[in-house]
Amino acid sequence: RVKRSGGRDYQFFHPSMAAAAENRRRLENELRLAAERQELRLFYQPIVDIQQNRLAGAEALIRWVHPQQGMVPPDDFIPVAEETGLIQEIGLWVLETACDQLQQWRREGREDLYLSINVSGSQIPHGLPPSAVMEALSRRSLPPGALVLEITEGVLMSDMKQALEWLQALRQVGIRIYLDDFGTGYSSLSYLKRFPVTTVKVDKSFVRDMGQDSSDRALVEAIVAMTRSLGLEVVAEGVENEAQLALLRGMGTRYGQGYHFSRPVPAGDFSAVTERLETLLQATPGAPG
Ligand code: C2E
Ligand code: MG
Ligand code: MG
Ligand code: MG
């Protein structure tokens, strides 16, 4: 390691860097095959109306069941998928799988549930054209209200005109858009006015510290108040306990999602989880009969 007069650190090549590069190449190759080998799964996490104490929908969260490494979380492979362009193919698989799941729920009598999927910035607009989304729905006779797309504000910042056209095309046919991880980026309030998003998801980092950190509490409260005055809906992510839930309810937050209600679960476990959850919600004081 040498230090130059400018004060910057320069890192010399180290053998561990070769190992890291090798790992990365292996990951890329394995990810390329993961879809073919059916190693990708969607897990589902309930989204709860915490004012009316009822299940509202769910978020689909991708998992990679790696033959040697077991369950690989999305934060470990989605960035690789984005950099290599594999996200396009994965994203279409997510769309199709989510729509199959919606159809399945409808067959089971759950036409009240919606499903949200996460969309990477690099999928917009050509990786996930609005026409492909509408086709996936109409092929299964699903209404556009059944599907929600979650984007982050990074999407809006990169190419505003392109993002706006993409969003408008989806909104025009009634597909809802959630702005994910709100509060972590620039969170320019003008985005909320300029872009036709329907809902803001308060990032879990603020919800986590709400009990101890009064500035986080103030921030969540401000986001909830602001979304309400703009006529937007709000979901609080990362609700882990009763105390957080009580605070969020008190602020008038409409929806909540988090381990307190359920972890993300495989499709096969979802109906058992929702049954248990709905029994609990109905027993909550103030719940609709
Ligand atoms: P996200 O969309 O913000 O999803 C919320 C994350 O918080 C999920 O992590 C979820 O498992 C986790 N979570 C839920 N409730 C709680 C809680 O009470 N406490 C805590 N600490 N965490 C909670 P996960 O599943 O690891 O996903 C991480 C991120 O990966 C997602 O963040 C999303 O940005 C991305 N991702 C997931 N699935 C997909 C996908 O299909 N496509 C794309 N492009 N990105 C995806
Ligand atoms: Mg999300
Ligand atoms: Mg989030
Ligand atoms: Mg995220």
Side-chain angles (χ1 to χ4, degrees), residues 11-61:
Q11 184 88 47
F12 284 126
F13 186 81
H14 190 274
S16 70
M17 289 166 72
E22 177 53 33
N23 266 339
R24 164 67 191 239
R25 253 191 310 276
R26 180 151 31 82
L27 186 71
E28 267 181 47
N29 290 330
E30 288 173 347
L31 189 54
R32 227 175 279 283
L33 296 169
E36 269 173 50
R37 293 178 177 162
Q38 304 195 319
E39 293 167 3
L40 299 178
R41 303 271 185 283
L42 288 185
F43 273 35
Y44 301 90
Q45 186 179 36
I47 298 175
V48 175
D49 183 331
I50 61 174
Q51 297 299 333
Q52 296 182 0
N53 291 311
R54 56 170 195 89
L55 187 65
E59 178 176 11
L61 294 154

Tab-separated table of all heavy atoms in Angstrom, residues 11-61:
chain	number	residue	atom	x	y	z
A	11	GLN	N	-4.332	0.716	-3.785
A	11	GLN	CA	-4.249	-0.676	-3.368
A	11	GLN	C	-3.505	-1.449	-4.440
A	11	GLN	O	-3.879	-1.421	-5.605
A	11	GLN	CB	-5.678	-1.210	-3.215
A	11	GLN	CG	-5.767	-2.606	-2.702
A	11	GLN	CD	-5.793	-2.624	-1.176
A	11	GLN	OE1	-6.533	-1.870	-0.567
A	11	GLN	NE2	-4.970	-3.460	-0.585
A	12	PHE	N	-2.414	-2.149	-4.053
A	12	PHE	CA	-1.730	-3.002	-5.013
A	12	PHE	C	-2.525	-4.281	-5.235
A	12	PHE	O	-3.325	-4.689	-4.405
A	12	PHE	CB	-0.314	-3.343	-4.522
A	12	PHE	CG	0.630	-2.215	-4.698
A	12	PHE	CD1	1.360	-1.737	-3.611
A	12	PHE	CD2	0.793	-1.598	-5.928
A	12	PHE	CE1	2.241	-0.683	-3.755
A	12	PHE	CE2	1.663	-0.550	-6.078
A	12	PHE	CZ	2.383	-0.074	-4.991
A	13	PHE	N	-2.269	-4.940	-6.388
A	13	PHE	CA	-2.939	-6.197	-6.678
A	13	PHE	C	-2.562	-7.231	-5.623
A	13	PHE	O	-1.415	-7.338	-5.223
A	13	PHE	CB	-2.546	-6.703	-8.063
A	13	PHE	CG	-3.325	-7.909	-8.464
A	13	PHE	CD1	-4.614	-7.763	-8.977
A	13	PHE	CD2	-2.798	-9.171	-8.331
A	13	PHE	CE1	-5.352	-8.867	-9.342
A	13	PHE	CE2	-3.538	-10.289	-8.697
A	13	PHE	CZ	-4.819	-10.129	-9.200
A	14	HIS	N	-3.532	-7.938	-5.145
A	14	HIS	CA	-3.322	-8.906	-4.084
A	14	HIS	C	-3.902	-10.252	-4.547
A	14	HIS	O	-4.909	-10.268	-5.243
A	14	HIS	CB	-4.041	-8.406	-2.821
A	14	HIS	CG	-3.706	-9.185	-1.601
A	14	HIS	ND1	-4.375	-10.328	-1.269
A	14	HIS	CD2	-2.766	-8.982	-0.639
A	14	HIS	CE1	-3.856	-10.806	-0.147
A	14	HIS	NE2	-2.879	-10.012	0.255
A	15	PRO	N	-3.266	-11.385	-4.169
A	15	PRO	CA	-3.781	-12.695	-4.612
A	15	PRO	C	-5.268	-12.880	-4.306
A	15	PRO	O	-5.992	-13.529	-5.053
A	15	PRO	CB	-2.941	-13.706	-3.823
A	15	PRO	CG	-1.691	-12.982	-3.478
A	15	PRO	CD	-2.029	-11.523	-3.379
A	16	SER	N	-5.756	-12.304	-3.205
A	16	SER	CA	-7.160	-12.486	-2.861
A	16	SER	C	-8.077	-11.841	-3.900
A	16	SER	O	-9.233	-12.213	-4.048
A	16	SER	CB	-7.445	-11.906	-1.480
A	16	SER	OG	-7.363	-10.499	-1.532
A	17	MET	N	-7.536	-10.880	-4.626
A	17	MET	CA	-8.341	-10.248	-5.669
A	17	MET	C	-8.565	-11.217	-6.829
A	17	MET	O	-9.626	-11.209	-7.452
A	17	MET	CB	-7.673	-8.969	-6.179
A	17	MET	CG	-7.715	-7.853	-5.147
A	17	MET	SD	-6.598	-6.502	-5.550
A	17	MET	CE	-7.460	-5.766	-6.921
A	18	ALA	N	-7.553	-12.045	-7.093
A	18	ALA	CA	-7.707	-13.059	-8.143
A	18	ALA	C	-8.781	-14.057	-7.733
A	18	ALA	O	-9.620	-14.463	-8.535
A	18	ALA	CB	-6.381	-13.768	-8.390
A	19	ALA	N	-8.761	-14.419	-6.452
A	19	ALA	CA	-9.763	-15.353	-5.940
A	19	ALA	C	-11.155	-14.739	-6.044
A	19	ALA	O	-12.111	-15.409	-6.437
A	19	ALA	CB	-9.444	-15.712	-4.493
A	20	ALA	N	-11.259	-13.459	-5.708
A	20	ALA	CA	-12.552	-12.782	-5.773
A	20	ALA	C	-13.063	-12.733	-7.207
A	20	ALA	O	-14.245	-12.971	-7.467
A	20	ALA	CB	-12.437	-11.372	-5.195
A	21	ALA	N	-12.158	-12.458	-8.134
A	21	ALA	CA	-12.546	-12.399	-9.551
A	21	ALA	C	-12.999	-13.764	-10.047
A	21	ALA	O	-13.957	-13.878	-10.806
A	21	ALA	CB	-11.374	-11.892	-10.383
A	22	GLU	N	-12.312	-14.804	-9.574
A	22	GLU	CA	-12.654	-16.172	-9.952
A	22	GLU	C	-14.041	-16.558	-9.410
A	22	GLU	O	-14.868	-17.125	-10.119
A	22	GLU	CB	-11.556	-17.120	-9.424
A	22	GLU	CG	-11.790	-18.596	-9.658
A	22	GLU	CD	-12.087	-18.951	-11.119
A	22	GLU	OE1	-11.540	-18.282	-12.017
A	22	GLU	OE2	-12.900	-19.868	-11.343
A	23	ASN	N	-14.269	-16.198	-8.148
A	23	ASN	CA	-15.578	-16.433	-7.521
A	23	ASN	C	-16.697	-15.783	-8.300
A	23	ASN	O	-17.758	-16.351	-8.501
A	23	ASN	CB	-15.596	-15.832	-6.108
A	23	ASN	CG	-15.212	-16.880	-5.076
A	23	ASN	OD1	-15.319	-18.068	-5.346
A	23	ASN	ND2	-14.767	-16.425	-3.926
A	24	ARG	N	-16.416	-14.576	-8.672
A	24	ARG	CA	-17.390	-13.778	-9.383
A	24	ARG	C	-17.733	-14.412	-10.745
A	24	ARG	O	-18.893	-14.485	-11.139
A	24	ARG	CB	-16.800	-12.366	-9.528
A	24	ARG	CG	-17.441	-11.471	-10.520
A	24	ARG	CD	-18.839	-11.136	-10.077
A	24	ARG	NE	-19.504	-10.500	-11.181
A	24	ARG	CZ	-20.016	-9.300	-11.137
A	24	ARG	NH1	-19.985	-8.622	-10.025
A	24	ARG	NH2	-20.575	-8.771	-12.200
A	25	ARG	N	-16.679	-14.911	-11.441
A	25	ARG	CA	-16.911	-15.569	-12.731
A	25	ARG	C	-17.757	-16.828	-12.552
A	25	ARG	O	-18.644	-17.115	-13.335
A	25	ARG	CB	-15.571	-15.932	-13.387
A	25	ARG	CG	-15.210	-15.042	-14.581
A	25	ARG	CD	-14.029	-15.576	-15.369
A	25	ARG	NE	-12.879	-15.911	-14.536
A	25	ARG	CZ	-11.962	-15.033	-14.134
A	25	ARG	NH1	-12.051	-13.768	-14.485
A	25	ARG	NH2	-10.942	-15.427	-13.386
A	26	ARG	N	-17.463	-17.550	-11.488
A	26	ARG	CA	-18.217	-18.779	-11.220
A	26	ARG	C	-19.685	-18.441	-10.937
A	26	ARG	O	-20.598	-19.070	-11.469
A	26	ARG	CB	-17.578	-19.538	-10.040
A	26	ARG	CG	-18.305	-20.819	-9.711
A	26	ARG	CD	-17.444	-21.916	-9.102
A	26	ARG	NE	-16.326	-21.447	-8.289
A	26	ARG	CZ	-16.425	-21.074	-7.016
A	26	ARG	NH1	-17.599	-21.099	-6.396
A	26	ARG	NH2	-15.357	-20.685	-6.351
A	27	LEU	N	-19.879	-17.419	-10.112
A	27	LEU	CA	-21.239	-16.980	-9.772
A	27	LEU	C	-22.027	-16.614	-11.036
A	27	LEU	O	-23.178	-17.017	-11.207
A	27	LEU	CB	-21.159	-15.774	-8.828
A	27	LEU	CG	-22.479	-15.259	-8.261
A	27	LEU	CD1	-23.040	-16.243	-7.240
A	27	LEU	CD2	-22.293	-13.895	-7.606
A	28	GLU	N	-21.361	-15.872	-11.926
A	28	GLU	CA	-22.003	-15.462	-13.183
A	28	GLU	C	-22.432	-16.669	-14.000
A	28	GLU	O	-23.553	-16.722	-14.489
A	28	GLU	CB	-21.017	-14.647	-14.022
A	28	GLU	CG	-21.119	-13.169	-13.816
A	28	GLU	CD	-20.126	-12.448	-14.716
A	28	GLU	OE1	-20.053	-12.783	-15.922
A	28	GLU	OE2	-19.431	-11.578	-14.184
A	29	ASN	N	-21.525	-17.631	-14.135
A	29	ASN	CA	-21.830	-18.822	-14.929
A	29	ASN	C	-22.951	-19.637	-14.306
A	29	ASN	O	-23.833	-20.135	-15.002
A	29	ASN	CB	-20.576	-19.690	-15.104
A	29	ASN	CG	-19.576	-19.012	-16.026
A	29	ASN	OD1	-19.965	-18.262	-16.916
A	29	ASN	ND2	-18.298	-19.262	-15.791
A	30	GLU	N	-22.908	-19.766	-12.996
A	30	GLU	CA	-23.939	-20.547	-12.310
A	30	GLU	C	-25.300	-19.860	-12.391
A	30	GLU	O	-26.328	-20.518	-12.535
A	30	GLU	CB	-23.548	-20.782	-10.852
A	30	GLU	CG	-22.413	-21.778	-10.734
A	30	GLU	CD	-21.895	-21.911	-9.304
A	30	GLU	OE1	-22.248	-21.063	-8.453
A	30	GLU	OE2	-21.151	-22.859	-9.048
A	31	LEU	N	-25.261	-18.541	-12.304
A	31	LEU	CA	-26.514	-17.781	-12.388
A	31	LEU	C	-27.139	-17.921	-13.774
A	31	LEU	O	-28.353	-18.001	-13.925
A	31	LEU	CB	-26.247	-16.307	-12.047
A	31	LEU	CG	-27.462	-15.402	-11.869
A	31	LEU	CD1	-28.434	-15.963	-10.846
A	31	LEU	CD2	-27.019	-13.999	-11.456
A	32	ARG	N	-26.268	-17.972	-14.781
A	32	ARG	CA	-26.714	-18.158	-16.151
A	32	ARG	C	-27.518	-19.464	-16.294
A	32	ARG	O	-28.463	-19.539	-17.054
A	32	ARG	CB	-25.492	-18.203	-17.080
A	32	ARG	CG	-25.589	-17.353	-18.311
A	32	ARG	CD	-24.292	-17.371	-19.074
A	32	ARG	NE	-23.299	-16.450	-18.527
A	32	ARG	CZ	-23.315	-15.138	-18.718
A	32	ARG	NH1	-24.252	-14.595	-19.447
A	32	ARG	NH2	-22.395	-14.361	-18.190
A	33	LEU	N	-27.100	-20.474	-15.535
A	33	LEU	CA	-27.755	-21.784	-15.620
A	33	LEU	C	-28.914	-21.938	-14.633
A	33	LEU	O	-29.737	-22.848	-14.763
A	33	LEU	CB	-26.727	-22.891	-15.333
A	33	LEU	CG	-25.583	-22.997	-16.340
A	33	LEU	CD1	-24.510	-23.942	-15.799
A	33	LEU	CD2	-26.100	-23.469	-17.689
A	34	ALA	N	-28.954	-21.035	-13.645
A	34	ALA	CA	-29.920	-21.202	-12.541
A	34	ALA	C	-31.364	-21.269	-13.035
A	34	ALA	O	-32.150	-22.095	-12.557
A	34	ALA	CB	-29.758	-20.072	-11.529
A	35	ALA	N	-31.683	-20.421	-13.996
A	35	ALA	CA	-33.055	-20.385	-14.498
A	35	ALA	C	-33.396	-21.709	-15.183
A	35	ALA	O	-34.432	-22.318	-14.900
A	35	ALA	CB	-33.237	-19.219	-15.454
A	36	GLU	N	-32.493	-22.160	-16.059
A	36	GLU	CA	-32.684	-23.434	-16.759
A	36	GLU	C	-32.845	-24.597	-15.792
A	36	GLU	O	-33.649	-25.491	-15.989
A	36	GLU	CB	-31.439	-23.764	-17.579
A	36	GLU	CG	-31.443	-23.274	-18.997
A	36	GLU	CD	-30.085	-23.513	-19.614
A	36	GLU	OE1	-29.570	-24.650	-19.513
A	36	GLU	OE2	-29.528	-22.543	-20.170
A	37	ARG	N	-32.023	-24.586	-14.760
A	37	ARG	CA	-32.036	-25.684	-13.794
A	37	ARG	C	-33.138	-25.546	-12.753
A	37	ARG	O	-33.185	-26.308	-11.789
A	37	ARG	CB	-30.679	-25.732	-13.066
A	37	ARG	CG	-29.546	-26.119	-13.980
A	37	ARG	CD	-28.253	-26.091	-13.191
A	37	ARG	NE	-27.121	-26.520	-13.974
A	37	ARG	CZ	-25.855	-26.269	-13.659
A	37	ARG	NH1	-25.578	-25.587	-12.564
A	37	ARG	NH2	-24.869	-26.691	-14.418
A	38	GLN	N	-33.946	-24.503	-12.930
A	38	GLN	CA	-35.087	-24.260	-12.033
A	38	GLN	C	-34.649	-24.103	-10.582
A	38	GLN	O	-35.279	-24.638	-9.667
A	38	GLN	CB	-36.113	-25.376	-12.161
A	38	GLN	CG	-36.561	-25.538	-13.611
A	38	GLN	CD	-37.813	-26.358	-13.736
A	38	GLN	OE1	-37.983	-27.362	-13.048
A	38	GLN	NE2	-38.701	-25.935	-14.619
A	39	GLU	N	-33.571	-23.346	-10.403
A	39	GLU	CA	-33.083	-23.099	-9.043
A	39	GLU	C	-33.631	-21.801	-8.455
A	39	GLU	O	-33.382	-21.488	-7.303
A	39	GLU	CB	-31.551	-23.053	-9.037
A	39	GLU	CG	-30.916	-24.403	-9.347
A	39	GLU	CD	-29.429	-24.320	-9.645
A	39	GLU	OE1	-28.841	-23.220	-9.559
A	39	GLU	OE2	-28.851	-25.366	-9.986
A	40	LEU	N	-34.340	-21.029	-9.273
A	40	LEU	CA	-34.909	-19.782	-8.764
A	40	LEU	C	-36.294	-20.038	-8.186
A	40	LEU	O	-37.047	-20.862	-8.692
A	40	LEU	CB	-34.988	-18.733	-9.885
A	40	LEU	CG	-33.655	-18.332	-10.515
A	40	LEU	CD1	-33.878	-17.327	-11.642
A	40	LEU	CD2	-32.699	-17.752	-9.479
A	41	ARG	N	-36.602	-19.330	-7.111
A	41	ARG	CA	-37.913	-19.462	-6.460
A	41	ARG	C	-38.426	-18.070	-6.120
A	41	ARG	O	-37.644	-17.185	-5.837
A	41	ARG	CB	-37.797	-20.193	-5.117
A	41	ARG	CG	-37.197	-21.562	-5.156
A	41	ARG	CD	-38.255	-22.643	-5.381
A	41	ARG	NE	-37.651	-23.958	-5.296
A	41	ARG	CZ	-36.919	-24.519	-6.257
A	41	ARG	NH1	-36.686	-23.844	-7.371
A	41	ARG	NH2	-36.399	-25.721	-6.113
A	42	LEU	N	-39.737	-17.941	-6.068
A	42	LEU	CA	-40.303	-16.738	-5.461
A	42	LEU	C	-40.839	-17.107	-4.083
A	42	LEU	O	-41.513	-18.129	-3.928
A	42	LEU	CB	-41.420	-16.138	-6.319
A	42	LEU	CG	-40.994	-15.459	-7.623
A	42	LEU	CD1	-42.200	-14.806	-8.294
A	42	LEU	CD2	-39.892	-14.422	-7.400
A	43	PHE	N	-40.501	-16.283	-3.097
A	43	PHE	CA	-41.090	-16.386	-1.765
A	43	PHE	C	-42.117	-15.257	-1.660
A	43	PHE	O	-42.023	-14.262	-2.387
A	43	PHE	CB	-40.019	-16.244	-0.680
A	43	PHE	CG	-39.338	-17.551	-0.326
A	43	PHE	CD1	-39.094	-18.509	-1.300
A	43	PHE	CD2	-38.928	-17.811	0.976
A	43	PHE	CE1	-38.463	-19.712	-0.980
A	43	PHE	CE2	-38.295	-19.013	1.308
A	43	PHE	CZ	-38.068	-19.962	0.332
A	44	TYR	N	-43.062	-15.424	-0.739
A	44	TYR	CA	-44.150	-14.452	-0.653
A	44	TYR	C	-44.295	-13.950	0.776
A	44	TYR	O	-44.318	-14.747	1.710
A	44	TYR	CB	-45.459	-15.096	-1.140
A	44	TYR	CG	-45.328	-15.571	-2.573
A	44	TYR	CD1	-44.879	-16.862	-2.863
A	44	TYR	CD2	-45.580	-14.697	-3.629
A	44	TYR	CE1	-44.710	-17.281	-4.182
A	44	TYR	CE2	-45.412	-15.101	-4.944
A	44	TYR	CZ	-44.969	-16.403	-5.204
A	44	TYR	OH	-44.797	-16.800	-6.505
A	45	GLN	N	-44.371	-12.624	0.908
A	45	GLN	CA	-44.531	-12.034	2.241
A	45	GLN	C	-45.817	-11.204	2.284
A	45	GLN	O	-46.020	-10.321	1.438
A	45	GLN	CB	-43.330	-11.153	2.593
A	45	GLN	CG	-43.391	-10.650	4.028
A	45	GLN	CD	-42.202	-9.800	4.427
A	45	GLN	OE1	-41.679	-9.045	3.609
A	45	GLN	NE2	-41.792	-9.910	5.679
A	46	PRO	N	-46.679	-11.471	3.268
A	46	PRO	CA	-47.958	-10.754	3.358
A	46	PRO	C	-47.779	-9.246	3.549
A	46	PRO	O	-46.841	-8.801	4.222
A	46	PRO	CB	-48.622	-11.350	4.608
A	46	PRO	CG	-47.931	-12.639	4.869
A	46	PRO	CD	-46.543	-12.488	4.338
A	47	ILE	N	-48.686	-8.485	2.957
A	47	ILE	CA	-48.801	-7.046	3.209
A	47	ILE	C	-50.173	-6.840	3.854
A	47	ILE	O	-51.185	-7.301	3.326
A	47	ILE	CB	-48.668	-6.234	1.899
A	47	ILE	CG1	-47.288	-6.477	1.278
A	47	ILE	CG2	-48.897	-4.734	2.159
A	47	ILE	CD1	-47.074	-5.818	-0.082
A	48	VAL	N	-50.162	-6.202	5.033
A	48	VAL	CA	-51.361	-6.141	5.867
A	48	VAL	C	-51.914	-4.719	5.928
A	48	VAL	O	-51.155	-3.757	6.052
A	48	VAL	CB	-51.007	-6.625	7.306
A	48	VAL	CG1	-52.190	-6.477	8.247
A	48	VAL	CG2	-50.521	-8.077	7.282
A	49	ASP	N	-53.228	-4.605	5.806
A	49	ASP	CA	-53.897	-3.329	6.077
A	49	ASP	C	-53.977	-3.206	7.594
A	49	ASP	O	-54.761	-3.914	8.234
A	49	ASP	CB	-55.299	-3.355	5.448
A	49	ASP	CG	-56.034	-2.033	5.630
A	49	ASP	OD1	-55.769	-1.340	6.639
A	49	ASP	OD2	-56.871	-1.706	4.777
A	50	ILE	N	-53.144	-2.348	8.173
A	50	ILE	CA	-53.048	-2.305	9.640
A	50	ILE	C	-54.094	-1.379	10.255
A	50	ILE	O	-54.198	-1.285	11.472
A	50	ILE	CB	-51.614	-1.937	10.128
A	50	ILE	CG1	-51.188	-0.550	9.646
A	50	ILE	CG2	-50.617	-3.007	9.699
A	50	ILE	CD1	-49.841	-0.099	10.232
A	51	GLN	N	-54.868	-0.707	9.420
A	51	GLN	CA	-55.991	0.067	9.956
A	51	GLN	C	-57.226	-0.811	10.046
A	51	GLN	O	-57.957	-0.767	11.025
A	51	GLN	CB	-56.255	1.310	9.092
A	51	GLN	CG	-55.101	2.314	9.060
A	51	GLN	CD	-54.742	2.887	10.430
A	51	GLN	OE1	-55.568	2.960	11.326
A	51	GLN	NE2	-53.479	3.291	10.610
A	52	GLN	N	-57.441	-1.623	9.012
A	52	GLN	CA	-58.635	-2.491	9.004
A	52	GLN	C	-58.327	-3.922	9.434
A	52	GLN	O	-59.214	-4.771	9.403
A	52	GLN	CB	-59.263	-2.476	7.615
A	52	GLN	CG	-59.779	-1.091	7.247
A	52	GLN	CD	-60.449	-1.063	5.890
A	52	GLN	OE1	-60.545	-2.073	5.205
A	52	GLN	NE2	-60.888	0.119	5.494
A	53	ASN	N	-57.079	-4.174	9.796
A	53	ASN	CA	-56.668	-5.516	10.231
A	53	ASN	C	-57.084	-6.616	9.277
A	53	ASN	O	-57.783	-7.559	9.649
A	53	ASN	CB	-57.196	-5.801	11.641
A	53	ASN	CG	-56.505	-4.950	12.663
A	53	ASN	OD1	-55.283	-4.861	12.683
A	53	ASN	ND2	-57.286	-4.275	13.479
A	54	ARG	N	-56.662	-6.459	8.028
A	54	ARG	CA	-56.926	-7.540	7.073
A	54	ARG	C	-55.749	-7.676	6.122
A	54	ARG	O	-54.973	-6.732	5.927
A	54	ARG	CB	-58.223	-7.293	6.296
A	54	ARG	CG	-58.226	-5.952	5.585
A	54	ARG	CD	-59.368	-5.770	4.613
A	54	ARG	NE	-59.035	-4.632	3.761
A	54	ARG	CZ	-58.362	-4.710	2.621
A	54	ARG	NH1	-57.981	-5.874	2.148
A	54	ARG	NH2	-58.057	-3.611	1.945
A	55	LEU	N	-55.640	-8.853	5.560
A	55	LEU	CA	-54.593	-9.123	4.579
A	55	LEU	C	-54.924	-8.369	3.295
A	55	LEU	O	-56.061	-8.415	2.821
A	55	LEU	CB	-54.576	-10.631	4.326
A	55	LEU	CG	-53.453	-11.166	3.447
A	55	LEU	CD1	-52.108	-10.955	4.123
A	55	LEU	CD2	-53.676	-12.654	3.185
A	56	ALA	N	-53.947	-7.650	2.738
A	56	ALA	CA	-54.213	-6.880	1.523
A	56	ALA	C	-53.575	-7.525	0.295
A	56	ALA	O	-54.153	-7.535	-0.784
A	56	ALA	CB	-53.687	-5.451	1.693
A	57	GLY	N	-52.382	-8.048	0.460
A	57	GLY	CA	-51.672	-8.623	-0.677
A	57	GLY	C	-50.367	-9.212	-0.222
A	57	GLY	O	-50.208	-9.553	0.960
A	58	ALA	N	-49.423	-9.324	-1.155
A	58	ALA	CA	-48.128	-9.899	-0.816
A	58	ALA	C	-47.056	-9.346	-1.744
A	58	ALA	O	-47.360	-8.856	-2.837
A	58	ALA	CB	-48.183	-11.416	-0.922
A	59	GLU	N	-45.820	-9.427	-1.276
A	59	GLU	CA	-44.683	-9.075	-2.133
A	59	GLU	C	-43.947	-10.361	-2.487
A	59	GLU	O	-43.724	-11.221	-1.622
A	59	GLU	CB	-43.727	-8.119	-1.414
A	59	GLU	CG	-42.496	-7.780	-2.273
A	59	GLU	CD	-41.548	-6.755	-1.647
A	59	GLU	OE1	-41.705	-6.435	-0.451
A	59	GLU	OE2	-40.649	-6.281	-2.370
A	60	ALA	N	-43.587	-10.486	-3.764
A	60	ALA	CA	-42.798	-11.630	-4.226
A	60	ALA	C	-41.320	-11.284	-4.100
A	60	ALA	O	-40.883	-10.231	-4.575
A	60	ALA	CB	-43.145	-11.952	-5.673
A	61	LEU	N	-40.560	-12.150	-3.426
A	61	LEU	CA	-39.128	-11.908	-3.226
A	61	LEU	C	-38.351	-13.110	-3.739
A	61	LEU	O	-38.627	-14.250	-3.359
A	61	LEU	CB	-38.846	-11.646	-1.742
A	61	LEU	CG	-39.488	-10.348	-1.222
A	61	LEU	CD1	-39.758	-10.419	0.265
A	61	LEU	CD2	-38.608	-9.140	-1.576
